[in-house]
Amino acid sequence: MSTTADPLAALGALPGVADSVDSVRKAVDRVYGHRVMRRRSHAVTSEAALRGARGSAALSGADWPLEEVRRRSDFSGAGGDEEARTVGAALRLTAEAGQLLSIWRQSPLRVLARLHLVAAADNGDTVGRPRQGGEPVDEPLVELPLPDAQEVAGRLEGLSGLIIAGGSAPALVTAAVVHGELLALRPFGSHNGLVARAAERIVLVGSGLDPKSICPAEVGHAEQGRAEYLAALEGYASGTPEGVAAWIAHCGRSVELGVRESTAVCEALQRGAA
């Protein structure tokens, strides 16, 4: 990451990033201009939340059809159903994210702790705090080298400082860095992917890019596939300008695919089919 006074803004100058930022802004503006958004934006928001949660769960190993997520009411994981627990965690996080927007800019670490607590749905002493030295991490789908607890603490503080300081970085860049850092660090003992994607959503909504939360990037991440997602993450973790730019572009494409999903929802609502 750059050592300039505003390192997130510096990332916006990487080759191709400005094009991604511009493309995302235009896509978001188009869906917000849809006539359905004037009267039924709450319906679009609700559907985007459901589809976003389904997408995030899919990337964490619970790739359920949308209608199954919509139909089910029990996500307790009774009988050892880990996929049900994962889907339930994703749904809870999506609901909780909207309640944490006002806290994020003042205390992002507090928000991350809360997100992990909600995802884990557990009161164990390792829940809701970054892992300590020697504590294991259950995140089998991410195979990057695992930073030690000391590095995690330092980088989380650095990330928190950047968020609190604000700056001129585009929302897409900030959201991609938050997402990438959390997945690269895996600061919690579990559910890091779900927490990282919920944090990305908080940035996109809280920044004003997607204030009604109708552009679920999680849908786009899932649609591009887990292999592409993890390959882009490896680029981010490499720290090279090319790798970071490719990750930001991947996140931008995910937002655009989320826009496409919600545009289809708008069209269905307009036809009276949803």
Side-chain angles (χ1 to χ4, degrees), residues 155-222:
R155 285 173 64 175
L156 281 178
E157 286 294 336
L159 183 64
S160 175
L162 289 174
I163 293 166
I164 292 170
S168 59
L172 172 64
V173 172
T174 303
V177 168
V178 167
H179 185 169
E181 277 291 284
L182 292 175
L183 266 185
L185 294 175
R186 281 146 290 162
F188 302 109
S190 63
H191 300 91
N192 290 285
L194 294 174
V195 168
R197 291 183 288 274
E200 179 186 48
R201 173 182 285 268
I202 286 172
V203 175
L204 293 172
V205 174
S207 67
L209 176 65
D210 180 22
K212 294 183 183 295
S213 194
I214 62 166
C215 307
E218 306 96 322
V219 168
H221 289 304

CSV table of all heavy atoms in Angstrom, one decimal, residues 155-222:
chain,number,residue,atom,x,y,z
A,155,ARG,N,-2.2,-4.3,11.1
A,155,ARG,CA,-2.9,-3.9,9.8
A,155,ARG,C,-4.3,-3.5,10.1
A,155,ARG,O,-4.8,-2.7,9.4
A,155,ARG,CB,-2.7,-5.1,8.8
A,155,ARG,CG,-1.3,-5.2,8.2
A,155,ARG,CD,-1.1,-6.4,7.4
A,155,ARG,NE,-2.0,-6.4,6.2
A,155,ARG,CZ,-1.9,-7.4,5.3
A,155,ARG,NH1,-0.9,-8.4,5.4
A,155,ARG,NH2,-2.6,-7.4,4.2
A,156,LEU,N,-5.0,-4.1,11.0
A,156,LEU,CA,-6.3,-3.7,11.4
A,156,LEU,C,-6.3,-2.3,11.9
A,156,LEU,O,-7.2,-1.5,11.5
A,156,LEU,CB,-6.9,-4.6,12.4
A,156,LEU,CG,-7.5,-6.0,11.9
A,156,LEU,CD1,-8.0,-6.8,13.1
A,156,LEU,CD2,-8.6,-5.8,10.9
A,157,GLU,N,-5.4,-1.9,12.7
A,157,GLU,CA,-5.3,-0.6,13.2
A,157,GLU,C,-5.0,0.4,12.1
A,157,GLU,O,-5.6,1.5,12.0
A,157,GLU,CB,-4.2,-0.5,14.3
A,157,GLU,CG,-4.5,-1.1,15.6
A,157,GLU,CD,-5.6,-0.3,16.3
A,157,GLU,OE1,-5.8,0.9,16.0
A,157,GLU,OE2,-6.3,-0.9,17.2
A,158,GLY,N,-4.1,0.0,11.1
A,158,GLY,CA,-3.9,0.9,10.0
A,158,GLY,C,-5.1,1.1,9.1
A,158,GLY,O,-5.4,2.2,8.7
A,159,LEU,N,-5.8,0.0,8.9
A,159,LEU,CA,-7.1,0.1,8.1
A,159,LEU,C,-8.1,1.0,8.8
A,159,LEU,O,-8.7,1.8,8.2
A,159,LEU,CB,-7.6,-1.3,7.9
A,159,LEU,CG,-8.9,-1.4,7.0
A,159,LEU,CD1,-8.6,-1.0,5.6
A,159,LEU,CD2,-9.4,-2.8,7.0
A,160,SER,N,-8.2,0.8,10.1
A,160,SER,CA,-9.2,1.6,10.9
A,160,SER,C,-8.8,3.1,10.8
A,160,SER,O,-9.7,3.9,10.6
A,160,SER,CB,-9.1,1.1,12.3
A,160,SER,OG,-10.0,2.0,13.1
A,161,GLY,N,-7.5,3.4,10.9
A,161,GLY,CA,-7.1,4.8,10.8
A,161,GLY,C,-7.4,5.4,9.5
A,161,GLY,O,-7.8,6.6,9.4
A,162,LEU,N,-7.3,4.6,8.4
A,162,LEU,CA,-7.6,5.2,7.1
A,162,LEU,C,-9.1,5.5,6.9
A,162,LEU,O,-9.5,6.5,6.4
A,162,LEU,CB,-7.2,4.2,6.0
A,162,LEU,CG,-5.7,4.0,5.8
A,162,LEU,CD1,-5.4,2.9,4.8
A,162,LEU,CD2,-5.0,5.3,5.3
A,163,ILE,N,-9.9,4.6,7.5
A,163,ILE,CA,-11.3,4.8,7.4
A,163,ILE,C,-11.8,6.0,8.2
A,163,ILE,O,-12.6,6.8,7.8
A,163,ILE,CB,-12.1,3.5,7.8
A,163,ILE,CG1,-11.8,2.4,6.9
A,163,ILE,CG2,-13.6,3.7,8.0
A,163,ILE,CD1,-12.2,1.0,7.4
A,164,ILE,N,-11.3,6.1,9.4
A,164,ILE,CA,-11.6,7.2,10.3
A,164,ILE,C,-11.2,8.5,9.7
A,164,ILE,O,-11.9,9.5,9.8
A,164,ILE,CB,-11.1,7.0,11.7
A,164,ILE,CG1,-11.8,5.8,12.4
A,164,ILE,CG2,-11.2,8.2,12.6
A,164,ILE,CD1,-11.1,5.3,13.7
A,165,ALA,N,-10.0,8.5,9.1
A,165,ALA,CA,-9.4,9.8,8.6
A,165,ALA,C,-10.2,10.2,7.3
A,165,ALA,O,-10.2,11.4,7.0
A,165,ALA,CB,-8.0,9.6,8.2
A,166,GLY,N,-10.9,9.3,6.7
A,166,GLY,CA,-11.6,9.6,5.5
A,166,GLY,C,-10.6,9.9,4.3
A,166,GLY,O,-9.5,9.3,4.3
A,167,GLY,N,-11.0,10.7,3.4
A,167,GLY,CA,-10.1,11.0,2.3
A,167,GLY,C,-10.9,11.1,1.0
A,167,GLY,O,-12.2,11.0,1.0
A,168,SER,N,-10.2,11.2,-0.1
A,168,SER,CA,-10.8,11.4,-1.4
A,168,SER,C,-10.9,10.1,-2.2
A,168,SER,O,-11.3,10.2,-3.4
A,168,SER,CB,-10.1,12.4,-2.2
A,168,SER,OG,-8.7,12.0,-2.4
A,169,ALA,N,-10.6,9.0,-1.7
A,169,ALA,CA,-10.7,7.7,-2.5
A,169,ALA,C,-12.1,7.4,-2.9
A,169,ALA,O,-13.0,7.6,-2.1
A,169,ALA,CB,-10.1,6.6,-1.7
A,170,PRO,N,-12.3,7.0,-4.1
A,170,PRO,CA,-13.6,6.5,-4.5
A,170,PRO,C,-14.1,5.4,-3.6
A,170,PRO,O,-13.4,4.6,-3.1
A,170,PRO,CB,-13.4,6.0,-6.0
A,170,PRO,CG,-12.1,6.7,-6.4
A,170,PRO,CD,-11.3,6.8,-5.2
A,171,ALA,N,-15.5,5.3,-3.5
A,171,ALA,CA,-16.1,4.3,-2.7
A,171,ALA,C,-15.7,2.9,-3.1
A,171,ALA,O,-15.4,2.0,-2.2
A,171,ALA,CB,-17.6,4.4,-2.7
A,172,LEU,N,-15.6,2.6,-4.4
A,172,LEU,CA,-15.2,1.3,-4.9
A,172,LEU,C,-13.8,0.9,-4.4
A,172,LEU,O,-13.6,-0.2,-4.0
A,172,LEU,CB,-15.2,1.3,-6.4
A,172,LEU,CG,-14.7,0.0,-7.0
A,172,LEU,CD1,-15.5,-1.2,-6.7
A,172,LEU,CD2,-14.6,0.1,-8.6
A,173,VAL,N,-12.9,1.8,-4.4
A,173,VAL,CA,-11.5,1.6,-4.0
A,173,VAL,C,-11.5,1.2,-2.5
A,173,VAL,O,-10.9,0.2,-2.0
A,173,VAL,CB,-10.6,2.7,-4.3
A,173,VAL,CG1,-9.2,2.5,-3.6
A,173,VAL,CG2,-10.4,2.9,-5.8
A,174,THR,N,-12.2,2.0,-1.7
A,174,THR,CA,-12.2,1.8,-0.2
A,174,THR,C,-12.9,0.5,0.1
A,174,THR,O,-12.4,-0.3,0.9
A,174,THR,CB,-13.0,2.9,0.5
A,174,THR,OG1,-12.3,4.2,0.2
A,174,THR,CG2,-12.9,2.7,2.0
A,175,ALA,N,-14.0,0.2,-0.6
A,175,ALA,CA,-14.7,-1.1,-0.3
A,175,ALA,C,-13.8,-2.3,-0.7
A,175,ALA,O,-13.8,-3.3,0.0
A,175,ALA,CB,-16.0,-1.1,-1.1
A,176,ALA,N,-13.1,-2.2,-1.8
A,176,ALA,CA,-12.3,-3.3,-2.3
A,176,ALA,C,-11.1,-3.5,-1.3
A,176,ALA,O,-10.8,-4.7,-1.0
A,176,ALA,CB,-11.8,-3.0,-3.7
A,177,VAL,N,-10.5,-2.5,-0.8
A,177,VAL,CA,-9.4,-2.6,0.1
A,177,VAL,C,-9.9,-3.2,1.4
A,177,VAL,O,-9.3,-4.1,2.0
A,177,VAL,CB,-8.7,-1.2,0.3
A,177,VAL,CG1,-7.8,-1.3,1.5
A,177,VAL,CG2,-8.0,-0.8,-0.9
A,178,VAL,N,-11.0,-2.7,1.9
A,178,VAL,CA,-11.6,-3.3,3.2
A,178,VAL,C,-11.8,-4.8,3.0
A,178,VAL,O,-11.4,-5.6,3.8
A,178,VAL,CB,-12.9,-2.5,3.6
A,178,VAL,CG1,-13.6,-3.3,4.7
A,178,VAL,CG2,-12.5,-1.1,4.1
A,179,HIS,N,-12.5,-5.1,1.9
A,179,HIS,CA,-12.8,-6.5,1.6
A,179,HIS,C,-11.5,-7.4,1.5
A,179,HIS,O,-11.4,-8.4,2.1
A,179,HIS,CB,-13.6,-6.6,0.3
A,179,HIS,CG,-14.1,-7.9,-0.1
A,179,HIS,ND1,-15.0,-8.0,-1.1
A,179,HIS,CD2,-13.8,-9.1,0.3
A,179,HIS,CE1,-15.3,-9.3,-1.3
A,179,HIS,NE2,-14.6,-10.0,-0.4
A,180,GLY,N,-10.6,-6.9,0.7
A,180,GLY,CA,-9.3,-7.6,0.5
A,180,GLY,C,-8.5,-7.7,1.7
A,180,GLY,O,-7.9,-8.8,2.0
A,181,GLU,N,-8.4,-6.7,2.5
A,181,GLU,CA,-7.6,-6.8,3.7
A,181,GLU,C,-8.2,-7.8,4.7
A,181,GLU,O,-7.4,-8.6,5.3
A,181,GLU,CB,-7.5,-5.4,4.4
A,181,GLU,CG,-6.5,-4.5,3.9
A,181,GLU,CD,-5.1,-4.9,4.3
A,181,GLU,OE1,-4.6,-4.7,5.4
A,181,GLU,OE2,-4.4,-5.4,3.4
A,182,LEU,N,-9.5,-7.8,4.9
A,182,LEU,CA,-10.1,-8.7,5.8
A,182,LEU,C,-9.9,-10.1,5.4
A,182,LEU,O,-9.7,-11.0,6.2
A,182,LEU,CB,-11.5,-8.3,6.0
A,182,LEU,CG,-11.8,-7.0,6.7
A,182,LEU,CD1,-13.3,-6.7,6.8
A,182,LEU,CD2,-11.2,-7.0,8.2
A,183,LEU,N,-10.0,-10.4,4.1
A,183,LEU,CA,-9.8,-11.8,3.6
A,183,LEU,C,-8.4,-12.2,3.7
A,183,LEU,O,-8.1,-13.4,4.0
A,183,LEU,CB,-10.4,-11.9,2.2
A,183,LEU,CG,-11.8,-12.4,2.1
A,183,LEU,CD1,-12.1,-12.6,0.6
A,183,LEU,CD2,-12.0,-13.7,2.8
A,184,ALA,N,-7.5,-11.3,3.4
A,184,ALA,CA,-6.1,-11.6,3.5
A,184,ALA,C,-5.6,-11.8,4.9
A,184,ALA,O,-4.8,-12.7,5.2
A,184,ALA,CB,-5.2,-10.5,2.8
A,185,LEU,N,-6.1,-11.0,5.8
A,185,LEU,CA,-5.8,-11.2,7.2
A,185,LEU,C,-6.5,-12.3,8.0
A,185,LEU,O,-5.9,-12.9,8.9
A,185,LEU,CB,-6.1,-9.8,8.0
A,185,LEU,CG,-5.2,-8.6,7.6
A,185,LEU,CD1,-5.7,-7.4,8.3
A,185,LEU,CD2,-3.8,-8.8,7.8
A,186,ARG,N,-7.7,-12.5,7.6
A,186,ARG,CA,-8.6,-13.5,8.3
A,186,ARG,C,-8.4,-13.2,9.9
A,186,ARG,O,-7.9,-14.1,10.6
A,186,ARG,CB,-8.2,-14.9,8.0
A,186,ARG,CG,-8.9,-15.3,6.6
A,186,ARG,CD,-8.0,-16.3,5.9
A,186,ARG,NE,-6.8,-15.6,5.4
A,186,ARG,CZ,-5.7,-16.2,5.0
A,186,ARG,NH1,-5.6,-17.5,5.0
A,186,ARG,NH2,-4.6,-15.5,4.5
A,187,PRO,N,-8.9,-12.1,10.3
A,187,PRO,CA,-8.6,-11.7,11.7
A,187,PRO,C,-9.4,-12.5,12.8
A,187,PRO,O,-9.0,-12.5,13.9
A,187,PRO,CB,-9.0,-10.2,11.8
A,187,PRO,CG,-10.0,-10.1,10.7
A,187,PRO,CD,-9.6,-11.0,9.6
A,188,PHE,N,-10.4,-13.1,12.3
A,188,PHE,CA,-11.3,-13.9,13.3
A,188,PHE,C,-11.1,-15.4,13.1
A,188,PHE,O,-10.6,-15.8,12.1
A,188,PHE,CB,-12.7,-13.5,13.1
A,188,PHE,CG,-13.0,-12.0,13.3
A,188,PHE,CD1,-13.3,-11.2,12.2
A,188,PHE,CD2,-12.9,-11.4,14.5
A,188,PHE,CE1,-13.6,-9.9,12.4
A,188,PHE,CE2,-13.1,-10.1,14.7
A,188,PHE,CZ,-13.5,-9.3,13.6
A,189,GLY,N,-11.5,-16.1,14.1
A,189,GLY,CA,-11.3,-17.5,14.1
A,189,GLY,C,-12.2,-18.2,13.0
A,189,GLY,O,-12.0,-19.4,12.7
A,190,SER,N,-13.3,-17.5,12.5
A,190,SER,CA,-14.2,-18.1,11.6
A,190,SER,C,-14.9,-17.0,10.9
A,190,SER,O,-14.9,-15.8,11.3
A,190,SER,CB,-15.2,-19.0,12.3
A,190,SER,OG,-16.0,-18.3,13.2
A,191,HIS,N,-15.7,-17.4,9.8
A,191,HIS,CA,-16.6,-16.5,9.2
A,191,HIS,C,-16.0,-15.2,8.6
A,191,HIS,O,-16.6,-14.2,8.4
A,191,HIS,CB,-17.7,-16.1,10.1
A,191,HIS,CG,-18.6,-17.2,10.6
A,191,HIS,ND1,-18.2,-17.8,11.8
A,191,HIS,CD2,-19.7,-17.8,10.2
A,191,HIS,CE1,-19.1,-18.8,12.0
A,191,HIS,NE2,-20.0,-18.8,11.0
A,192,ASN,N,-14.7,-15.3,8.3
A,192,ASN,CA,-14.0,-14.1,7.8
A,192,ASN,C,-14.5,-13.6,6.4
A,192,ASN,O,-14.6,-12.4,6.1
A,192,ASN,CB,-12.5,-14.3,7.7
A,192,ASN,CG,-11.9,-14.4,9.1
A,192,ASN,OD1,-11.7,-13.4,9.8
A,192,ASN,ND2,-11.5,-15.6,9.5
A,193,GLY,N,-14.8,-14.6,5.5
A,193,GLY,CA,-15.3,-14.2,4.2
A,193,GLY,C,-16.7,-13.5,4.3
A,193,GLY,O,-16.9,-12.5,3.7
A,194,LEU,N,-17.6,-14.1,5.1
A,194,LEU,CA,-18.9,-13.4,5.3
A,194,LEU,C,-18.7,-12.0,5.9
A,194,LEU,O,-19.4,-11.1,5.4
A,194,LEU,CB,-19.7,-14.3,6.2
A,194,LEU,CG,-20.2,-15.7,5.7
A,194,LEU,CD1,-20.9,-16.5,6.8
A,194,LEU,CD2,-21.0,-15.6,4.4
A,195,VAL,N,-17.9,-11.9,6.9
A,195,VAL,CA,-17.6,-10.6,7.5
A,195,VAL,C,-17.0,-9.6,6.5
A,195,VAL,O,-17.4,-8.4,6.4
A,195,VAL,CB,-16.8,-10.7,8.7
A,195,VAL,CG1,-16.3,-9.3,9.2
A,195,VAL,CG2,-17.5,-11.4,9.8
A,196,ALA,N,-16.1,-10.1,5.7
A,196,ALA,CA,-15.4,-9.2,4.7
A,196,ALA,C,-16.4,-8.7,3.7
A,196,ALA,O,-16.4,-7.5,3.3
A,196,ALA,CB,-14.3,-9.9,4.0
A,197,ARG,N,-17.3,-9.5,3.2
A,197,ARG,CA,-18.3,-9.1,2.2
A,197,ARG,C,-19.3,-8.2,2.8
A,197,ARG,O,-19.8,-7.3,2.2
A,197,ARG,CB,-18.9,-10.3,1.5
A,197,ARG,CG,-17.8,-11.0,0.7
A,197,ARG,CD,-18.4,-12.2,-0.1
A,197,ARG,NE,-18.7,-13.4,0.7
A,197,ARG,CZ,-17.9,-14.3,1.1
A,197,ARG,NH1,-16.6,-14.2,0.7
A,197,ARG,NH2,-18.2,-15.3,1.8
A,198,ALA,N,-19.7,-8.4,4.1
A,198,ALA,CA,-20.6,-7.5,4.8
A,198,ALA,C,-20.0,-6.1,5.0
A,198,ALA,O,-20.6,-5.1,4.8
A,198,ALA,CB,-21.0,-8.1,6.1
A,199,ALA,N,-18.7,-6.1,5.3
A,199,ALA,CA,-18.0,-4.8,5.4
A,199,ALA,C,-17.9,-4.1,4.1
A,199,ALA,O,-18.1,-2.9,4.1
A,199,ALA,CB,-16.6,-5.1,6.0
A,200,GLU,N,-17.7,-4.8,3.0
A,200,GLU,CA,-17.7,-4.2,1.7
A,200,GLU,C,-19.1,-3.5,1.4
A,200,GLU,O,-19.1,-2.4,1.0
A,200,GLU,CB,-17.4,-5.2,0.6
A,200,GLU,CG,-17.5,-4.7,-0.8
A,200,GLU,CD,-17.3,-5.8,-1.9
A,200,GLU,OE1,-18.0,-6.8,-1.8
A,200,GLU,OE2,-16.5,-5.6,-2.8
A,201,ARG,N,-20.1,-4.2,1.8
A,201,ARG,CA,-21.5,-3.7,1.6
A,201,ARG,C,-21.6,-2.4,2.4
A,201,ARG,O,-22.2,-1.4,2.0
A,201,ARG,CB,-22.5,-4.7,2.0
A,201,ARG,CG,-24.0,-4.1,2.1
A,201,ARG,CD,-24.9,-5.2,2.5
A,201,ARG,NE,-25.2,-6.2,1.5
A,201,ARG,CZ,-26.2,-6.1,0.6
A,201,ARG,NH1,-27.0,-5.1,0.6
A,201,ARG,NH2,-26.4,-7.0,-0.3
A,202,ILE,N,-21.2,-2.4,3.7
A,202,ILE,CA,-21.3,-1.2,4.5
A,202,ILE,C,-20.6,0.0,3.9
A,202,ILE,O,-21.1,1.1,3.9
A,202,ILE,CB,-20.7,-1.5,5.9
A,202,ILE,CG1,-21.6,-2.4,6.7
A,202,ILE,CG2,-20.4,-0.2,6.7
A,202,ILE,CD1,-21.1,-2.9,8.0
A,203,VAL,N,-19.4,-0.2,3.3
A,203,VAL,CA,-18.7,0.9,2.7
A,203,VAL,C,-19.4,1.4,1.5
A,203,VAL,O,-19.6,2.6,1.3
A,203,VAL,CB,-17.3,0.4,2.3
A,203,VAL,CG1,-16.6,1.6,1.5
A,203,VAL,CG2,-16.4,0.1,3.5
A,204,LEU,N,-19.9,0.5,0.6
A,204,LEU,CA,-20.6,0.9,-0.6
A,204,LEU,C,-21.9,1.7,-0.2
A,204,LEU,O,-22.2,2.7,-0.9
A,204,LEU,CB,-21.0,-0.3,-1.4
A,204,LEU,CG,-19.8,-1.0,-2.1
A,204,LEU,CD1,-20.2,-2.3,-2.7
A,204,LEU,CD2,-19.1,-0.1,-3.1
A,205,VAL,N,-22.6,1.3,0.8
A,205,VAL,CA,-23.8,2.0,1.2
A,205,VAL,C,-23.5,3.3,1.9
A,205,VAL,O,-24.0,4.3,1.6
A,205,VAL,CB,-24.7,1.1,2.1
A,205,VAL,CG1,-25.9,1.8,2.6
A,205,VAL,CG2,-25.2,-0.2,1.3
A,206,GLY,N,-22.6,3.2,2.9
A,206,GLY,CA,-22.3,4.3,3.7
A,206,GLY,C,-21.6,5.5,3.0
A,206,GLY,O,-21.7,6.6,3.4
A,207,SER,N,-20.9,5.1,1.9
A,207,SER,CA,-20.2,6.1,1.1
A,207,SER,C,-21.2,7.0,0.3
A,207,SER,O,-20.8,8.1,-0.2
A,207,SER,CB,-19.2,5.5,0.2
A,207,SER,OG,-20.0,4.7,-0.8
A,208,GLY,N,-22.4,6.5,0.1
A,208,GLY,CA,-23.3,7.2,-0.7
A,208,GLY,C,-23.4,6.7,-2.2
A,208,GLY,O,-24.2,7.1,-3.0
A,209,LEU,N,-22.5,5.8,-2.5
A,209,LEU,CA,-22.5,5.2,-3.8
A,209,LEU,C,-23.8,4.4,-4.0
A,209,LEU,O,-24.4,4.5,-5.1
A,209,LEU,CB,-21.3,4.3,-4.1
A,209,LEU,CG,-21.3,3.5,-5.4
A,209,LEU,CD1,-21.1,4.5,-6.6
A,209,LEU,CD2,-20.1,2.5,-5.5
A,210,ASP,N,-24.2,3.6,-3.0
A,210,ASP,CA,-25.4,2.8,-3.1
A,210,ASP,C,-26.2,3.0,-1.8
A,210,ASP,O,-26.4,2.0,-1.0
A,210,ASP,CB,-24.9,1.3,-3.3
A,210,ASP,CG,-26.1,0.3,-3.4
A,210,ASP,OD1,-27.2,0.8,-3.7
A,210,ASP,OD2,-25.9,-0.8,-3.1
A,211,PRO,N,-26.8,4.2,-1.6
A,211,PRO,CA,-27.4,4.5,-0.3
A,211,PRO,C,-28.6,3.6,0.0
A,211,PRO,O,-28.9,3.4,1.2
A,211,PRO,CB,-27.8,5.9,-0.5
A,211,PRO,CG,-27.9,6.2,-1.9
A,211,PRO,CD,-26.8,5.3,-2.5
A,212,LYS,N,-29.3,3.1,-1.0
A,212,LYS,CA,-30.5,2.2,-0.7
A,212,LYS,C,-30.1,0.7,-0.7
A,212,LYS,O,-31.0,-0.1,-0.6
A,212,LYS,CB,-31.6,2.5,-1.7
A,212,LYS,CG,-32.1,3.9,-1.6
A,212,LYS,CD,-33.3,4.1,-2.6
A,212,LYS,CE,-33.8,5.5,-2.6
A,212,LYS,NZ,-34.5,5.8,-1.3
A,213,SER,N,-28.8,0.4,-0.8
A,213,SER,CA,-28.3,-1.0,-0.8
A,213,SER,C,-29.1,-1.9,-1.8
A,213,SER,O,-29.6,-2.9,-1.4
A,213,SER,CB,-28.5,-1.5,0.6
A,213,SER,OG,-27.7,-2.7,0.8
A,214,ILE,N,-29.0,-1.4,-3.1
A,214,ILE,CA,-29.7,-2.2,-4.1
A,214,ILE,C,-28.7,-2.8,-5.1
A,214,ILE,O,-29.2,-3.4,-6.1
A,214,ILE,CB,-30.7,-1.3,-4.9
A,214,ILE,CG1,-30.1,-0.2,-5.6
A,214,ILE,CG2,-31.8,-0.8,-3.9
A,214,ILE,CD1,-30.9,0.5,-6.6
A,215,CYS,N,-27.4,-2.7,-4.9
A,215,CYS,CA,-26.4,-3.1,-5.8
A,215,CYS,C,-25.5,-4.2,-5.1
A,215,CYS,O,-24.4,-3.9,-4.8
A,215,CYS,CB,-25.6,-2.0,-6.3
A,215,CYS,SG,-26.5,-0.6,-7.0
A,216,PRO,N,-26.1,-5.4,-4.9
A,216,PRO,CA,-25.4,-6.4,-4.1
A,216,PRO,C,-24.1,-6.9,-4.8
A,216,PRO,O,-24.2,-7.8,-5.7
A,216,PRO,CB,-26.4,-7.5,-3.9
A,216,PRO,CG,-27.3,-7.4,-5.1
A,216,PRO,CD,-27.3,-5.9,-5.5
A,217,ALA,N,-22.9,-6.5,-4.4
A,217,ALA,CA,-21.7,-6.9,-4.9
A,217,ALA,C,-21.5,-8.4,-4.7
A,217,ALA,O,-20.9,-9.1,-5.5
A,217,ALA,CB,-20.5,-6.2,-4.3
A,218,GLU,N,-22.1,-8.9,-3.6
A,218,GLU,CA,-21.9,-10.4,-3.3
A,218,GLU,C,-22.5,-11.2,-4.4
A,218,GLU,O,-22.0,-12.3,-4.7
A,218,GLU,CB,-22.7,-10.7,-2.0
A,218,GLU,CG,-22.3,-9.9,-0.8
A,218,GLU,CD,-23.2,-8.7,-0.6
A,218,GLU,OE1,-23.7,-8.1,-1.6
A,218,GLU,OE2,-23.5,-8.4,0.6
A,219,VAL,N,-23.6,-10.8,-5.1
A,219,VAL,CA,-24.1,-11.5,-6.2
A,219,VAL,C,-23.1,-11.6,-7.3
A,219,VAL,O,-22.9,-12.6,-7.9
A,219,VAL,CB,-25.4,-10.8,-6.8
A,219,VAL,CG1,-25.8,-11.3,-8.1
A,219,VAL,CG2,-26.5,-10.9,-5.8
A,220,GLY,N,-22.4,-10.5,-7.6
A,220,GLY,CA,-21.4,-10.4,-8.6
A,220,GLY,C,-20.2,-11.3,-8.3
A,220,GLY,O,-19.6,-12.0,-9.2
A,221,HIS,N,-19.7,-11.2,-7.1
A,221,HIS,CA,-18.6,-12.1,-6.7
A,221,HIS,C,-18.9,-13.6,-6.9
A,221,HIS,O,-18.1,-14.3,-7.4
A,221,HIS,CB,-18.3,-11.9,-5.2
A,221,HIS,CG,-17.6,-10.5,-4.9
A,221,HIS,ND1,-16.5,-10.1,-5.5
A,221,HIS,CD2,-18.0,-9.6,-4.0
A,221,HIS,CE1,-16.2,-8.9,-5.0
A,221,HIS,NE2,-17.1,-8.6,-4.1
A,222,ALA,N,-20.1,-14.0,-6.5
A,222,ALA,CA,-20.5,-15.3,-6.7
A,222,ALA,C,-20.7,-15.7,-8.2
A,222,ALA,O,-20.3,-16.8,-8.6
A,222,ALA,CB,-21.8,-15.6,-5.9
